[in-house]
Amino acid sequence: MEAMSAMPMKALLAGVFLLANAWHITAGNEQKNHLQCWHCSSDTIGAEDFCDVTFQEDNIPTDLIKERNINLLRSCNSTINSDHERAVCRKTVEENNGKTITKRFCYYTNKSDPVELCNITSPEKNVRRIFCEDCLTDRCNGAFTGASIWEMMQLLPILALVQQLAI
């Protein structure tokens, strides 16, 4: 008789364990799907001071943002629960009618697409893409990872001149 009562108890414990694991996995996936991305455009009045090619978080007019109830940091939630889709933070620098515009936003790509695909795809007509980058970590579209490389390339001739003068 004791063997019969031990069996349902083991089944109950196993069921509770499986449910706890399933909840933990689901909770972990939900947190992972909420990527935090900056959301702004340099062509918006007032945003040119912080949302240009270089993101200036210290220049965000917090009073104005609160007054207008604007959220510059967005949680990127997929509207469809797809096993093939992933959220990325995107930053683009484009020229439209002679004006350079920097945009930061959530974007959704196929999980199988490389993050470099952003540079390959073409923007709308009459728009020339100067820079495009997708990234996968919170707030990563605030930084301009190419800036340090670009600045270094611009400094190379100066460094070479300094080196020659030192000789």
Side-chain angles (χ1 to χ4, degrees):
M1 194 72 125
E2 285 183 35
M4 290 182 81
S5 64
M7 189 62 156
M9 185 58 114
K10 285 182 183 178
L12 179 66
L13 287 173
V16 169
F17 178 77
L18 287 172
L19 285 173
N21 273 339
W23 180 83
H24 179 72
I25 290 168
T26 303
N29 286 340
E30 285 175 11
Q31 290 172 352
K32 193 174 185 180
N33 288 337
H34 299 291
L35 180 66
Q36 296 284 312
C37 298
W38 291 109
H39 184 85
C40 61
S41 177
S42 64
D43 69 338
T44 303
I45 296 172
E48 64 274 355
D49 293 336
F50 63 88
C51 192
D52 210 353
V53 174
T54 303
F55 189 75
Q56 304 282 334
E57 189 173 353
D58 293 340
N59 290 350
I60 295 173
T62 52
D63 295 342
L64 182 67
I65 299 299
K66 286 178 185 176
E67 178 184 309
R68 295 188 181 171
N69 199 22
I70 299 170
N71 188 3
L72 294 175
L73 195 58
R74 301 276 174 94
S75 185
C76 303
N77 302 326
S78 176
T79 54
I80 58 170
N81 290 323
S82 171
D83 291 334
H84 307 288
E85 181 185 72
R86 76 169 166 207
V88 295
C89 295
R90 179 167 279 190
K91 176 189 172 188
T92 62
V93 179
E94 297 173 343
E95 187 179 303
N96 189 352
N97 295 324
K99 184 177 180 184
T100 303
I101 301 169
T102 302
K103 296 179 182 177
R104 292 172 171 82
F105 51 95
C106 296
Y107 191 77
Y108 299 93
T109 64
N110 291 322
K111 286 183 180 178
S112 59
D113 290 345
V115 289
E116 295 82 18
L117 188 65
C118 181
N119 283 309
I120 299 167
T121 58
S122 54
E124 308 89 48
K125 287 184 176 184
N126 302 325
V127 176
R128 183 176 70 89
R129 183 166 287 160
I130 299 167
F131 176 83
C132 184
E133 182 178 62
D134 290 341
C135 52
L136 301 168
T137 57
D138 286 343
R139 302 178 183 201
C140 60
N141 62 341
F144 182 47
T145 56
S148 59
I149 294 169
W150 177 249
E151 289 168 359
M152 296 270 285
M153 287 175 56
Q154 288 180 328
L155 289 176
L156 283 176
I158 296 170
L159 291 173
L161 181 63
V162 169
Q163 187 178 19
Q164 284 182 347
L165 291 174
I167 295 177

